[in-house]
Amino acid sequence: MKTLSLFISILLILLSTQAQSHSDKDLLKRLHADTWNCLDSMIDPGTGFPQDTQYPGGHTNTTNIGLYLASLCVAVETNLTTHEHGFLRAERILTSLESLERLHGFIPHILDVQLKSKKATGYVAISDFNKLIVGLIMTKQIWPKLSPRVDKFINAVQWEKLYHKETGNVSWGYDFDKDMPLGNGQLWLTADTRSAAFLMIATGAAPPRMWAAMDRSPLYTPYGKILRGYGMGGLFMMAMDSIFLDELATEVGESSGNFAWQQIQFSKKRGYPFWGWSNCYMPGKGYTEGGHLSEQVITPHALALMIDFYPRHVTQALRGLIDSGGSKGPHDFEDVNWGLRDAYNMKTKEWDHRYLSLDQGMLFLALSNHLHDGLVRKIYSADPLVQHGLKLIAPYTQTNKGLINLWAQRDAQIDALSINKKSTQKSLHIKPLLPKLINNAHIKAQTNANQSISISFDNKASEEPHHVALELPLIDISGLKSMQVNIDKIDSSKDQPGWLRLMLIDEFNQSRYAHIELNKSQLSYQINLETMLGIHINEHKIKSLQLVFWSKPWYYQDFKMKADKVSLQINKIDFLQ
């Protein structure tokens, strides 16, 4: 009797699991189709370019165009649209691209969606431009009739302008106005420039050994090794190019999988219902800048990028986001079925009102690979140039098949969220230390007899950020509510000195960011720790506070140092309950 009872229990569990599996697949298929409807509805009727959001006009990006072309290919292959509709869409985009002024085959990565200007001015960032080429390569696999025109466009790109043979260094962009490359170093392996590096090697513009030379600076965390590169935008930075390149069991996949697992564990520790931190629109605010993400805001596309790693965790979270109202259309779009909106604030329970082409494209393509056996990668790798590139980088690509088992073992650990217990941590009052005297053209810093720290900043027309790192004893700030910076005095060449940037750094060199507006009459500045931007930090082991003086920042541009000369004297740092 006991044996029969056990058999029935096992059978019920298997049937339940199977039913859940079917239910999950139906949910993903629905989301996949709805997201395609969104992408195909946000098209400028004149140029054929995807709009940045559902609101007409404004600017678009070459990444948007490339991801839309890739999505168009998938939509045709999965019968979400017709071959003829896809051809007309792709042909119009190609015609618009051909009308643009180019320099060495490049075009600006930011474009007016209606092409009111066709000039090659400003600069191009290859992190964005490379996805356009990827999308075009996929386009000619589906519509061979367009191949001659696509090949002409692609072959005009002089990737060799970005590779420096003498040093082996690589540029991240090209300045059209000065006709010169921008940047001179090594690209991060785990960043959204990876497809550009791949194409440079595939076309012969750079040698295969460039792949081995890419920056793999590691971060060793309790969740495994994570490679440098995510800091500029969260999960999408390292995982986006894996849509096109099979990297689940490579060193890139290892980094992405560990990074996602860190996010999953962070959400549990905090008691958050969801995870998935990546660049996105913050509800009620603008787009995240500089890779500094809000702890409260998550985005569905980050989840989708990880679905081949942790399908159960991802599907559970996507289901929860749909149940929280994310698939309901915003004001003026109440009747649409366009999938999930761009981002969700878990504290305010507010959904952003926008659909972003970039994020919808990543979500759609990631689900396409998962639901259709790697379809995006199959279409892309059907091209002879891509096949050639894959052979060239193979000797320099580290693989570990054991990672597949690791992802499966972790994914089986579906459990309830941890409760964010009320902390008993007491307030901390700390005298920071200056590790060494600083005396350069822009920063002078020294420790005074009373252990306060004097810092002088002289801009001297510099556009670079200037840092002063203050050592803290290894401290635990978990559960504490605010940080208070106490300054003895402030002097500056202007009545309003401007904004000082602050970075809390943990034992793994992960950071949280805030900025404060200096005022000569204000000597105490309090910052809510919960609102500091950046989630990837071990709050139990904070080792330093970094002050950043920056007169011409490229992100959060309004929060800059305004005075040419500023001096201040730091007394102590308080972390308060």
Side-chain angles (χ1 to χ4, degrees):
M1 193 69 182
K2 285 185 179 179
T3 304
L4 179 61
S5 177
L6 179 62
F7 173 77
I8 292 172
S9 296
I10 292 172
L11 182 61
L12 288 172
I13 291 170
L14 290 173
L15 289 173
S16 174
T17 302
Q18 188 176 32
Q20 181 66 35
S21 177
H22 287 310
S23 173
D24 287 348
K25 194 167 185 180
D26 289 343
L27 178 139
L28 295 175
K29 283 182 175 179
R30 235 175 10 255
L31 179 59
H32 184 247
D34 288 347
T35 305
W36 164 249
N37 289 336
C38 178
L39 286 166
D40 202 42
S41 299
M42 301 194 302
I43 301 298
D44 183 84
T47 62
F49 289 166
Q51 299 160 185
D52 200 46
T53 68
Q54 73 266 38
Y55 302 104
H59 293 88
T60 192
N61 188 298
T62 48
T63 301
N64 294 344
I65 300 170
L67 294 186
Y68 176 72
L69 285 171
S71 299
L72 199 59
C73 296
V74 169
V76 168
E77 292 295 283
T78 56
N79 298 315
L80 289 173
T81 192
T82 65
H83 194 277
E84 182 182 6
H85 173 80
F87 176 83
L88 293 174
R89 288 282 208 216
E91 201 275 336
R92 175 162 290 187
I93 288 173
L94 187 55
T95 299
S96 296
L97 290 171
E98 290 167 337
S99 73
L100 291 166
E101 180 181 82
R102 304 174 73 184
L103 182 63
H104 308 303
F106 297 110
I107 61 173
H109 65 281
I110 301 293
L111 299 168
D112 183 283
V113 74
Q114 296 170 348
L115 284 188
K116 294 174 182 177
S117 172
K118 300 183 179 183
K119 293 286 185 182
T121 59
Y123 70 98
V124 59
I126 59 171
S127 57
D128 296 78
F129 180 77
N130 61 6
K131 303 307 182 297
L132 172 61
I133 303 304
V134 169
L136 286 168
I137 288 173
M138 290 181 63
T139 297
K140 66 177 185 172
Q141 312 310 311
I142 305 301
W143 298 283
K145 184 178 179 180
L146 295 175
S147 288
R149 293 170 63 186
V150 170
D151 285 337
K152 183 178 179 181
F153 190 94
I154 291 174
N155 293 339
V157 179
Q158 297 178 31
W159 293 107
E160 62 272 16
K161 292 287 184 179
L162 305 176
Y163 182 73
H164 308 280
K165 293 181 181 178
E166 305 79 15
T167 61
N169 286 344
V170 186
S171 295
W172 58 262
Y174 204 87
D175 188 317
F176 295 116
D177 302 325
K178 296 180 180 178
D179 195 3
M180 62 180 289
L182 294 168
N184 187 5
Q186 293 300 328
L187 302 177
W188 293 323
L189 178 67
T190 50
D192 54 351
T193 49
R194 192 158 63 255
S195 286
F198 175 79
L199 290 166
M200 290 170 71
I201 292 168
T203 58
R209 66 176 179 273
M210 188 188 90
W211 198 260
M214 293 176 75
D215 190 333
R216 289 166 167 80
S217 300
L219 189 68
Y220 295 100
T221 77
Y223 315 100
K225 184 172 72 172
I226 300 172
L227 301 184
R228 185 183 178 200
Y230 71 86
M232 298 310 297
L235 260 171
F236 100 91
M237 284 291 290
M238 65 176 66
M240 183 184 193
D241 290 69
S242 298
I243 292 172
F244 308 101
L245 301 170
D246 186 0
E247 298 175 320
L248 194 65
T250 69
E251 57 187 324
V252 172
E254 178 183 17
S255 183
S256 298
N258 289 338
F259 189 45
W261 194 244
Q262 181 186 37
Q263 293 199 2
I264 292 169
Q265 299 310 309
F266 178 82
S267 71
K268 289 180 179 180
K269 185 187 299 182
R270 280 286 204 253
Y272 284 134
F274 307 115
W275 58 281
W277 284 274
S278 188
N279 275 353
C280 61
Y281 273 113
M282 293 185 287
K285 299 180 181 178
Y287 193 73
T288 49
E289 299 185 42
H292 299 298
L293 311 176
S294 168
E295 178 179 318
Q296 287 85 37
V297 178
I298 53 89
T299 177
H301 81 266
L303 295 166
L305 288 171
M306 290 292 105
I307 196 164
D308 284 341
F309 292 78
Y310 307 121
R312 294 179 69 192
H313 281 82
V314 170
T315 306
Q316 181 189 65
L318 288 173
R319 183 183 296 279
L321 290 174
I322 290 170
D323 291 343
S324 72
S327 59
K328 295 177 181 176
H331 179 64
D332 290 334
F333 295 88
E334 290 88 351
D335 297 329
V336 303
N337 292 308
W338 283 357
L340 287 161
R341 292 192 246 166
D342 193 51
Y344 180 64
N345 187 313
M346 295 182 288
K347 184 175 182 179
T348 65
K349 296 181 170 51
E350 176 188 5
W351 275 96
D352 190 69
H353 63 281
R354 288 159 288 206
Y355 299 92
L356 186 62
S357 285
L358 169 65
D359 296 349
Q360 293 291 77
M362 286 188 280
L363 190 150
F364 176 77
L365 292 169
L367 291 184
S368 300
N369 275 328
H370 183 71
L371 292 170
H372 299 283
D373 194 25
L375 178 60
V376 182
R377 301 183 193 107
K378 287 179 179 177
I379 297 172
Y380 184 51
S381 63
D383 189 80
L385 177 68
V386 176
Q387 293 172 7
H388 179 61
L390 291 171
K391 289 178 183 177
L392 292 176
I393 67 168
Y396 304 98
T397 303
Q398 299 176 22
T399 58
N400 177 3
K401 296 300 181 183
L403 291 172
I404 305 298
N405 292 330
L406 176 61
W407 309 146
Q409 289 167 12
R410 286 178 173 176
D411 199 35
Q413 299 174 34
I414 289 281
D415 50 24
L417 293 173
S418 302
I419 301 299
N420 190 14
K421 297 178 181 178
K422 189 173 181 180
S423 174
T424 57
Q425 178 72 285
K426 295 181 179 179
S427 296
L428 303 170
H429 309 282
I430 296 166
K431 284 272 190 182
L433 299 176
L434 182 69
K436 61 181 179 180
L437 186 77
I438 303 176
N439 187 6
N440 60 48
H442 300 284
I443 295 286
K444 291 179 172 39
Q446 66 178 30
T447 303
N448 303 317
N450 66 353
Q451 299 305 303
S452 64
I453 298 169
S454 294
I455 303 168
S456 297
F457 166 69
D458 191 337
N459 183 34
K460 295 184 185 294
S462 172
E463 296 187 5
E464 299 300 315
H466 298 282
H467 304 257
V468 178
L470 304 180
E471 271 187 12
L472 306 174
L474 209 56
I475 58 174
D476 183 353
I477 64 168
S478 60
L480 297 178
K481 294 180 179 178
S482 63
M483 174 175 67
Q484 184 169 288
V485 180
N486 301 289
I487 301 175
D488 285 344
K489 65 176 183 178
I490 300 175
D491 290 317
S492 75
S493 57
K494 286 186 176 181
D495 290 338
Q496 296 298 322
W499 295 79
L500 178 67
R501 297 173 177 227
L502 307 171
M503 308 280 285
L504 276 176
I505 312 293
D506 75 357
E507 62 172 340
F508 304 116
N509 293 317
Q510 300 175 118
S511 65
R512 279 202 162 195
Y513 164 87
H515 38 246
I516 55 175
E517 186 174 18
L518 297 176
N519 189 312
K520 289 182 180 180
S521 62
Q522 182 181 348
L523 301 179
S524 181
Y525 299 84
Q526 193 158 312
I527 300 156
N528 185 334
L529 289 171
E530 191 181 60
T531 60
M532 289 189 77
L533 299 177
I535 66 155
H536 310 108
I537 191 168
N538 180 5
E539 295 174 312
H540 301 289
K541 293 185 178 180
I542 301 296
K543 69 176 184 179
S544 66
L545 174 67
Q546 196 169 98
L547 311 182
V548 185
F549 298 81
W550 202 354
S551 297
K552 292 188 177 181
W554 61 265
Y555 65 87
Y556 292 120
Q557 294 179 0
D558 292 336
F559 303 104
K560 61 187 177 183
M561 193 58 65
K562 297 176 181 178
D564 292 328
K565 294 184 179 182
V566 176
S567 63
L568 49 87
Q569 192 168 299
I570 301 284
N571 182 358
K572 64 174 181 172
I573 311 293
D574 297 324
F575 294 90
L576 306 172
Q577 255 290 9

